[in-house]
Amino acid sequence: MARSAVIYGIGQSAFIVLQKIREQFSDEFQVEAMLSEAPGTFGGLPVLDFARFAEAGITDCILPNAAKRMPKLLGKLNAVPGIQVYFVPASQLRREQNEKEHFFIPIDKGKPWLMGFEFHVADHCNLNCRGCGHCANLMGNRFPDIRSYRRDLLRLGQLFAGIGLIRLMGGEPFLNQELEAYVALTRECFPVSEIHIVTNGLLLPKAEARLLQAIARHQVILDISMYPPTAAAWDKIGPVLDAYGIEKNISPVTEFYKRFTLGAGSDRETVFQDCSTRTCHSLRDGKLAACIVPFSTEELNRVYHTKIPVDGWINLYEPGIDGEEINRRLGCPLELCSHCKREKEYFPWEVRSREEASLQDWICVEG
């Protein structure tokens, strides 16, 4: 007998899941309603808010392509007793036919989810942008230790039931000759996570076929920053992605911004709540931070001999730490937030080597 279910959302992903259930999995689920804070109807079904869902007696809730929203959604659903939650990975939504066990992933509500994290597969870059938020143009040729990365992934697997979004980045990740191994390891440890590689794309025409095949096989999405040199070379980059069936997101880049100050003059709570990067959690050497700023500040201190106090790291191996506590701390402002202005200072994108770079590429004039 089909189980009664709601589908979270009233967008494209929710509609795809609704159609999949009606066409392929009607013996598994009977969708009674959609779940959203916006009232109305969707796909011929009523839309319930969380309060009405809790009273409806529906047994199952399906979360399509929730990714970074998983921690917040699970927090709300944990207040509804007796329901089974399923996650539908984004990779499954793109398939014409699906197997039930891969489409509906049961969620353990006993442990939290981590929204996601970013990890530097390479610290340096082949492009070197002025004011790079990751300070790639200040780095030497530095790659992480994949054994350390594996250890940290296994630790995250102990702390969290799952991770929404994992972004492998840099620097330029395609500089790392072990990128294929990083992709495979990440997918092995987190089989239902959405995995992206953030790249300027310039090295794709020279990438080995086995690496490109692995990216497609492991259903990794490329987030391509469309810098002017990338746009100029797109006639060589685009066909590579098409030939291997690699999915991509494209973000045009014509300007950068800075907002950091040497003095701690901003209200950190206000800055943190307004910050669009506070959910871009960063993993490095067994530590997790809310954003990249602790990484970049350490580099500025090292290169320019500034003495900005660095805080915000969470040690994944701290005695007694658990996923709930990590999520709580990730939602708290850093002392470093007091060094960020609310207003961004924009400037045109340009290349700036380490020899040409100056502290002013990252630091705003105070006052």
Side-chain angles (χ1 to χ4, degrees):
M1 182 176 177
R3 298 166 62 88
S4 63
V6 298
I7 300 172
Y8 174 78
I10 51 173
Q12 182 180 14
S13 295
F15 183 75
I16 292 173
V17 172
L18 178 61
Q19 291 299 101
K20 292 277 188 181
I21 291 176
R22 288 172 170 173
E23 296 169 3
Q24 297 181 40
F25 305 115
S26 58
D27 59 336
E28 185 73 16
F29 295 105
Q30 175 64 46
V31 180
E32 307 286 350
M34 310 302 285
L35 179 61
S36 174
E37 299 298 345
T41 60
F42 183 86
L45 296 170
V47 178
L48 306 179
D49 60 20
F50 279 89
R52 292 171 61 201
F53 167 58
E55 300 170 352
I58 298 173
T59 60
D60 293 34
C61 180
I62 300 169
L63 307 177
N65 190 21
K68 293 175 74 172
R69 294 171 292 170
M70 285 291 286
K72 183 177 181 180
L73 292 174
L74 290 177
K76 291 184 176 182
L77 291 171
N78 281 337
V80 183
I83 65 164
Q84 174 63 57
V85 179
Y86 295 90
F87 170 59
V88 180
S91 59
Q92 293 296 318
L93 300 178
R94 298 186 290 270
R95 294 173 176 263
E96 291 187 7
Q97 295 293 323
N98 306 86
E99 297 178 357
K100 180 175 62 179
E101 59 270 26
H102 296 138
F103 195 77
F104 302 105
I105 309 298
I107 297 300
D108 175 11
K109 293 198 299 175
K111 285 199 298 185
W113 273 57
L114 178 66
M115 181 180 296
F117 69 81
E118 299 177 346
F119 179 78
H120 281 204
V121 179
D123 282 333
H124 58 296
C125 187
N126 60 327
L127 196 52
N128 295 320
C129 304
R130 173 191 171 195
C132 171
H134 298 245
C135 294
N137 55 337
L138 299 182
M139 301 285 190
N141 294 359
R142 287 160 42 177
F143 300 108
D145 181 351
I146 195 168
R147 295 168 299 178
S148 175
Y149 180 58
R150 180 183 183 86
R151 183 170 62 250
D152 291 345
L153 290 185
L154 294 175
R155 177 59 175 159
L156 288 170
Q158 294 173 343
L159 294 164
F160 297 97
I163 294 177
L165 173 64
I166 300 172
R167 301 179 86 206
L168 303 177
M169 58 191 310
E172 172 49 52
F174 280 88
L175 289 170
N176 193 325
Q177 297 300 306
E178 292 186 287
L179 182 56
E180 180 185 348
Y182 278 93
V183 167
L185 175 59
T186 305
R187 179 56 75 205
E188 174 191 344
C189 292
F190 293 100
V192 303
S193 295
E194 189 166 326
I195 302 174
H196 293 217
I197 296 175
V198 184
T199 175
N200 58 44
L202 293 173
L203 298 178
L204 281 169
K206 297 182 179 180
E208 294 186 0
R210 58 179 294 171
L211 169 58
L212 298 170
Q213 291 165 352
I215 289 171
R217 182 173 67 254
H218 292 296
Q219 299 177 333
V220 175
I221 298 170
L222 295 193
D223 291 343
I224 298 179
S225 301
M226 188 68 78
Y227 299 107
T230 307
W234 190 251
D235 61 337
K236 297 178 181 177
I237 298 170
V240 173
L241 303 177
D242 295 338
Y244 289 90
I246 296 173
E247 188 173 352
K248 62 185 180 296
N249 296 321
I250 296 177
S251 300
V253 180
T254 58
E255 59 184 6
F256 269 32
Y257 68 83
K258 58 182 178 179
R259 58 187 299 189
F260 207 59
T261 62
L262 293 177
S266 299
D267 177 74
R268 61 178 185 167
E269 180 69 38
T270 301
V271 168
F272 183 78
Q273 293 304 324
D274 287 348
C275 184
S276 60
T277 62
R278 72 181 188 277
T279 60
C280 300
H281 306 331
S282 295
L283 174 69
R284 189 181 185 97
D285 297 331
K287 298 175 182 178
L288 197 64
C291 66
I292 193 61
V293 174
F295 286 130
S296 56
T297 303
E298 281 192 333
E299 200 59 30
L300 293 176
N301 282 342
R302 183 181 68 83
V303 174
Y304 294 110
H305 309 293
T306 51
K307 300 184 183 299
I308 304 169
V310 177
D311 74 317
W313 295 118
I314 302 169
N315 185 349
L316 297 179
Y317 302 91
E318 176 185 316
I321 196 79
D322 61 17
E324 295 284 2
E325 175 62 13
I326 290 173
N327 276 339
R328 185 194 70 79
R329 292 191 202 175
L330 289 172
C332 297
L334 317 182
E335 187 60 41
L336 274 172
C337 295
S338 63
H339 290 266
C340 275
K341 297 172 62 178
R342 293 184 66 182
E343 305 80 15
K344 300 173 182 177
E345 293 187 12
Y346 289 89
F347 52 89
W349 175 88
E350 62 179 318
V351 170
R352 186 69 61 88
S353 69
R354 175 170 179 163
E355 292 72 27
E356 299 169 324
S358 69
L359 182 60
Q360 284 67 43
D361 292 340
W362 290 272
I363 302 297
C364 298
V365 176
E366 299 179 59

mmCIF file of all heavy atoms in Angstrom, residues 36-66:
data_model
loop_
_atom_site.group_PDB
_atom_site.id
_atom_site.type_symbol
_atom_site.label_atom_id
_atom_site.label_comp_id
_atom_site.label_asym_id
_atom_site.label_seq_id
_atom_site.Cartn_x
_atom_site.Cartn_y
_atom_site.Cartn_z
ATOM 1 N N SER A 36 5.138 24.078 2.133
ATOM 2 C CA SER A 36 5.779 25.370 1.901
ATOM 3 C C SER A 36 5.149 26.389 2.826
ATOM 4 O O SER A 36 4.069 26.170 3.380
ATOM 5 C CB SER A 36 5.615 25.808 0.446
ATOM 6 O OG SER A 36 6.115 27.113 0.238
ATOM 7 N N GLU A 37 5.839 27.507 2.997
ATOM 8 C CA GLU A 37 5.263 28.604 3.786
ATOM 9 C C GLU A 37 4.313 29.454 2.951
ATOM 10 O O GLU A 37 3.606 30.312 3.483
ATOM 11 C CB GLU A 37 6.378 29.490 4.356
ATOM 12 C CG GLU A 37 7.332 28.765 5.303
ATOM 13 C CD GLU A 37 6.649 28.211 6.543
ATOM 14 O OE1 GLU A 37 5.502 28.605 6.827
ATOM 15 O OE2 GLU A 37 7.257 27.373 7.227
ATOM 16 N N ALA A 38 4.278 29.230 1.639
ATOM 17 C CA ALA A 38 3.405 30.002 0.749
ATOM 18 C C ALA A 38 2.106 29.244 0.537
ATOM 19 O O ALA A 38 2.116 28.128 0.008
ATOM 20 C CB ALA A 38 4.100 30.256 -0.585
ATOM 21 N N PRO A 39 0.965 29.776 0.962
ATOM 22 C CA PRO A 39 -0.309 29.069 0.819
ATOM 23 C C PRO A 39 -0.759 29.011 -0.639
ATOM 24 O O PRO A 39 -0.275 29.747 -1.490
ATOM 25 C CB PRO A 39 -1.268 29.918 1.659
ATOM 26 C CG PRO A 39 -0.689 31.303 1.602
ATOM 27 C CD PRO A 39 0.801 31.111 1.558
ATOM 28 N N GLY A 40 -1.720 28.111 -0.914
ATOM 29 C CA GLY A 40 -2.279 28.012 -2.250
ATOM 30 C C GLY A 40 -2.359 26.580 -2.708
ATOM 31 O O GLY A 40 -2.558 25.654 -1.912
ATOM 32 N N THR A 41 -2.205 26.370 -4.002
ATOM 33 C CA THR A 41 -2.194 25.027 -4.575
ATOM 34 C C THR A 41 -0.992 24.894 -5.505
ATOM 35 O O THR A 41 -0.441 25.887 -5.986
ATOM 36 C CB THR A 41 -3.482 24.746 -5.375
ATOM 37 O OG1 THR A 41 -3.592 25.699 -6.439
ATOM 38 C CG2 THR A 41 -4.706 24.823 -4.474
ATOM 39 N N PHE A 42 -0.605 23.625 -5.763
ATOM 40 C CA PHE A 42 0.535 23.363 -6.641
ATOM 41 C C PHE A 42 0.339 21.972 -7.228
ATOM 42 O O PHE A 42 0.145 21.005 -6.497
ATOM 43 C CB PHE A 42 1.844 23.430 -5.857
ATOM 44 C CG PHE A 42 3.081 23.240 -6.698
ATOM 45 C CD1 PHE A 42 3.674 24.305 -7.351
ATOM 46 C CD2 PHE A 42 3.642 21.972 -6.849
ATOM 47 C CE1 PHE A 42 4.803 24.129 -8.129
ATOM 48 C CE2 PHE A 42 4.772 21.783 -7.619
ATOM 49 C CZ PHE A 42 5.358 22.866 -8.265
ATOM 50 N N GLY A 43 0.386 21.880 -8.558
ATOM 51 C CA GLY A 43 0.216 20.583 -9.199
ATOM 52 C C GLY A 43 -1.113 19.936 -8.881
ATOM 53 O O GLY A 43 -1.215 18.700 -8.849
ATOM 54 N N GLY A 44 -2.125 20.751 -8.615
ATOM 55 C CA GLY A 44 -3.438 20.228 -8.273
ATOM 56 C C GLY A 44 -3.577 19.778 -6.844
ATOM 57 O O GLY A 44 -4.587 19.156 -6.477
ATOM 58 N N LEU A 45 -2.575 20.095 -6.011
ATOM 59 C CA LEU A 45 -2.578 19.673 -4.605
ATOM 60 C C LEU A 45 -2.570 20.890 -3.689
ATOM 61 O O LEU A 45 -2.035 21.949 -4.052
ATOM 62 C CB LEU A 45 -1.343 18.809 -4.307
ATOM 63 C CG LEU A 45 -1.263 17.473 -5.055
ATOM 64 C CD1 LEU A 45 0.115 16.862 -4.850
ATOM 65 C CD2 LEU A 45 -2.355 16.518 -4.585
ATOM 66 N N PRO A 46 -3.114 20.749 -2.482
ATOM 67 C CA PRO A 46 -3.022 21.855 -1.524
ATOM 68 C C PRO A 46 -1.594 22.032 -1.021
ATOM 69 O O PRO A 46 -0.808 21.084 -1.001
ATOM 70 C CB PRO A 46 -3.948 21.410 -0.383
ATOM 71 C CG PRO A 46 -3.953 19.919 -0.472
ATOM 72 C CD PRO A 46 -3.853 19.592 -1.933
ATOM 73 N N VAL A 47 -1.264 23.257 -0.646
ATOM 74 C CA VAL A 47 0.047 23.563 -0.077
ATOM 75 C C VAL A 47 -0.133 23.796 1.419
ATOM 76 O O VAL A 47 -0.880 24.687 1.834
ATOM 77 C CB VAL A 47 0.675 24.802 -0.745
ATOM 78 C CG1 VAL A 47 2.018 25.127 -0.094
ATOM 79 C CG2 VAL A 47 0.852 24.572 -2.241
ATOM 80 N N LEU A 48 0.554 22.972 2.228
ATOM 81 C CA LEU A 48 0.480 23.071 3.680
ATOM 82 C C LEU A 48 1.699 23.803 4.219
ATOM 83 O O LEU A 48 2.809 23.648 3.688
ATOM 84 C CB LEU A 48 0.428 21.675 4.318
ATOM 85 C CG LEU A 48 -0.654 20.697 3.833
ATOM 86 C CD1 LEU A 48 -0.514 19.381 4.585
ATOM 87 C CD2 LEU A 48 -2.032 21.290 4.010
ATOM 88 N N ASP A 49 1.508 24.583 5.288
ATOM 89 C CA ASP A 49 2.665 25.081 6.023
ATOM 90 C C ASP A 49 3.050 24.036 7.060
ATOM 91 O O ASP A 49 2.389 23.005 7.202
ATOM 92 C CB ASP A 49 2.381 26.452 6.644
ATOM 93 C CG ASP A 49 1.217 26.426 7.625
ATOM 94 O OD1 ASP A 49 0.855 25.340 8.128
ATOM 95 O OD2 ASP A 49 0.660 27.513 7.889
ATOM 96 N N PHE A 50 4.125 24.264 7.806
ATOM 97 C CA PHE A 50 4.620 23.243 8.727
ATOM 98 C C PHE A 50 3.620 22.960 9.843
ATOM 99 O O PHE A 50 3.489 21.815 10.298
ATOM 100 C CB PHE A 50 5.978 23.661 9.294
ATOM 101 C CG PHE A 50 7.126 23.381 8.362
ATOM 102 C CD1 PHE A 50 7.520 24.316 7.421
ATOM 103 C CD2 PHE A 50 7.794 22.177 8.405
ATOM 104 C CE1 PHE A 50 8.562 24.052 6.546
ATOM 105 C CE2 PHE A 50 8.836 21.896 7.541
ATOM 106 C CZ PHE A 50 9.231 22.842 6.606
ATOM 107 N N ALA A 51 2.888 23.966 10.304
ATOM 108 C CA ALA A 51 1.916 23.760 11.375
ATOM 109 C C ALA A 51 0.778 22.853 10.904
ATOM 110 O O ALA A 51 0.382 21.917 11.618
ATOM 111 C CB ALA A 51 1.375 25.105 11.850
ATOM 112 N N ARG A 52 0.252 23.097 9.709
ATOM 113 C CA ARG A 52 -0.836 22.272 9.179
ATOM 114 C C ARG A 52 -0.343 20.869 8.830
ATOM 115 O O ARG A 52 -1.073 19.888 8.977
ATOM 116 C CB ARG A 52 -1.454 22.943 7.951
ATOM 117 C CG ARG A 52 -2.210 24.237 8.277
ATOM 118 C CD ARG A 52 -2.608 24.951 6.998
ATOM 119 N NE ARG A 52 -3.503 24.135 6.169
ATOM 120 C CZ ARG A 52 -3.681 24.316 4.867
ATOM 121 N NH1 ARG A 52 -2.989 25.264 4.228
ATOM 122 N NH2 ARG A 52 -4.507 23.551 4.188
ATOM 123 N N PHE A 53 0.911 20.769 8.382
ATOM 124 C CA PHE A 53 1.476 19.448 8.085
ATOM 125 C C PHE A 53 1.547 18.596 9.352
ATOM 126 O O PHE A 53 1.238 17.402 9.337
ATOM 127 C CB PHE A 53 2.859 19.608 7.462
ATOM 128 C CG PHE A 53 3.659 18.338 7.400
ATOM 129 C CD1 PHE A 53 3.167 17.224 6.721
ATOM 130 C CD2 PHE A 53 4.899 18.243 8.005
ATOM 131 C CE1 PHE A 53 3.898 16.048 6.659
ATOM 132 C CE2 PHE A 53 5.627 17.079 7.938
ATOM 133 C CZ PHE A 53 5.134 15.976 7.268
ATOM 134 N N ALA A 54 1.941 19.209 10.462
ATOM 135 C CA ALA A 54 2.061 18.468 11.719
ATOM 136 C C ALA A 54 0.726 17.905 12.182
ATOM 137 O O ALA A 54 0.683 16.892 12.900
ATOM 138 C CB ALA A 54 2.642 19.379 12.802
ATOM 139 N N GLU A 55 -0.359 18.519 11.758
ATOM 140 C CA GLU A 55 -1.699 18.084 12.179
ATOM 141 C C GLU A 55 -2.369 17.179 11.151
ATOM 142 O O GLU A 55 -3.472 16.673 11.394
ATOM 143 C CB GLU A 55 -2.586 19.314 12.410
ATOM 144 C CG GLU A 55 -2.050 20.262 13.482
ATOM 145 C CD GLU A 55 -2.812 21.580 13.511
ATOM 146 O OE1 GLU A 55 -3.651 21.787 12.591
ATOM 147 O OE2 GLU A 55 -2.552 22.388 14.425
ATOM 148 N N ALA A 56 -1.725 16.951 10.005
ATOM 149 C CA ALA A 56 -2.403 16.285 8.890
ATOM 150 C C ALA A 56 -2.359 14.765 8.965
ATOM 151 O O ALA A 56 -3.086 14.090 8.228
ATOM 152 C CB ALA A 56 -1.799 16.753 7.564
ATOM 153 N N GLY A 57 -1.495 14.200 9.803
ATOM 154 C CA GLY A 57 -1.403 12.755 9.903
ATOM 155 C C GLY A 57 -0.705 12.086 8.741
ATOM 156 O O GLY A 57 -0.855 10.885 8.515
ATOM 157 N N ILE A 58 0.054 12.838 7.973
ATOM 158 C CA ILE A 58 0.792 12.294 6.835
ATOM 159 C C ILE A 58 2.080 11.669 7.345
ATOM 160 O O ILE A 58 2.764 12.219 8.215
ATOM 161 C CB ILE A 58 1.066 13.400 5.803
ATOM 162 C CG1 ILE A 58 -0.259 13.943 5.261
ATOM 163 C CG2 ILE A 58 1.934 12.882 4.659
ATOM 164 C CD1 ILE A 58 -0.113 15.154 4.370
ATOM 165 N N THR A 59 2.452 10.517 6.804
ATOM 166 C CA THR A 59 3.545 9.736 7.386
ATOM 167 C C THR A 59 4.926 10.088 6.850
ATOM 168 O O THR A 59 5.927 9.884 7.548
ATOM 169 C CB THR A 59 3.309 8.234 7.151
ATOM 170 O OG1 THR A 59 3.245 7.978 5.732
ATOM 171 C CG2 THR A 59 2.029 7.772 7.817
ATOM 172 N N ASP A 60 5.023 10.599 5.614
ATOM 173 C CA ASP A 60 6.334 10.779 4.984
ATOM 174 C C ASP A 60 6.483 12.193 4.434
ATOM 175 O O ASP A 60 5.518 12.792 3.959
ATOM 176 C CB ASP A 60 6.523 9.791 3.834
ATOM 177 C CG ASP A 60 6.616 8.353 4.304
ATOM 178 O OD1 ASP A 60 5.942 8.010 5.293
ATOM 179 O OD2 ASP A 60 7.353 7.579 3.681
ATOM 180 N N CYS A 61 7.720 12.692 4.469
ATOM 181 C CA CYS A 61 8.046 13.992 3.883
ATOM 182 C C CYS A 61 9.244 13.808 2.968
ATOM 183 O O CYS A 61 10.263 13.224 3.364
ATOM 184 C CB CYS A 61 8.364 15.008 4.975
ATOM 185 S SG CYS A 61 8.781 16.649 4.338
ATOM 186 N N ILE A 62 9.138 14.305 1.752
ATOM 187 C CA ILE A 62 10.180 14.146 0.740
ATOM 188 C C ILE A 62 10.804 15.512 0.469
ATOM 189 O O ILE A 62 10.097 16.477 0.168
ATOM 190 C CB ILE A 62 9.588 13.557 -0.555
ATOM 191 C CG1 ILE A 62 8.968 12.189 -0.262
ATOM 192 C CG2 ILE A 62 10.656 13.445 -1.639
ATOM 193 C CD1 ILE A 62 8.124 11.645 -1.397
ATOM 194 N N LEU A 63 12.122 15.585 0.577
ATOM 195 C CA LEU A 63 12.862 16.833 0.390
ATOM 196 C C LEU A 63 13.678 16.750 -0.896
ATOM 197 O O LEU A 63 14.737 16.114 -0.927
ATOM 198 C CB LEU A 63 13.797 17.092 1.575
ATOM 199 C CG LEU A 63 13.173 17.072 2.979
ATOM 200 C CD1 LEU A 63 14.249 17.284 4.037
ATOM 201 C CD2 LEU A 63 12.100 18.139 3.092
ATOM 202 N N PRO A 64 13.228 17.352 -1.977
ATOM 203 C CA PRO A 64 14.000 17.307 -3.220
ATOM 204 C C PRO A 64 15.072 18.394 -3.284
ATOM 205 O O PRO A 64 14.797 19.558 -3.004
ATOM 206 C CB PRO A 64 12.938 17.519 -4.304
ATOM 207 C CG PRO A 64 11.855 18.293 -3.624
ATOM 208 C CD PRO A 64 11.910 17.957 -2.158
ATOM 209 N N ASN A 65 16.305 17.982 -3.622
ATOM 210 C CA ASN A 65 17.363 18.953 -3.908
ATOM 211 C C ASN A 65 17.478 20.000 -2.815
ATOM 212 O O ASN A 65 17.613 21.195 -3.084
ATOM 213 C CB ASN A 65 17.092 19.628 -5.264
ATOM 214 C CG ASN A 65 18.247 20.456 -5.749
ATOM 215 O OD1 ASN A 65 19.385 20.263 -5.316
ATOM 216 N ND2 ASN A 65 17.973 21.392 -6.636
ATOM 217 N N ALA A 66 17.428 19.559 -1.544
ATOM 218 C CA ALA A 66 17.429 20.522 -0.435
ATOM 219 C C ALA A 66 18.802 21.120 -0.192
ATOM 220 O O ALA A 66 18.924 22.265 0.225
ATOM 221 C CB ALA A 66 16.917 19.848 0.841
#
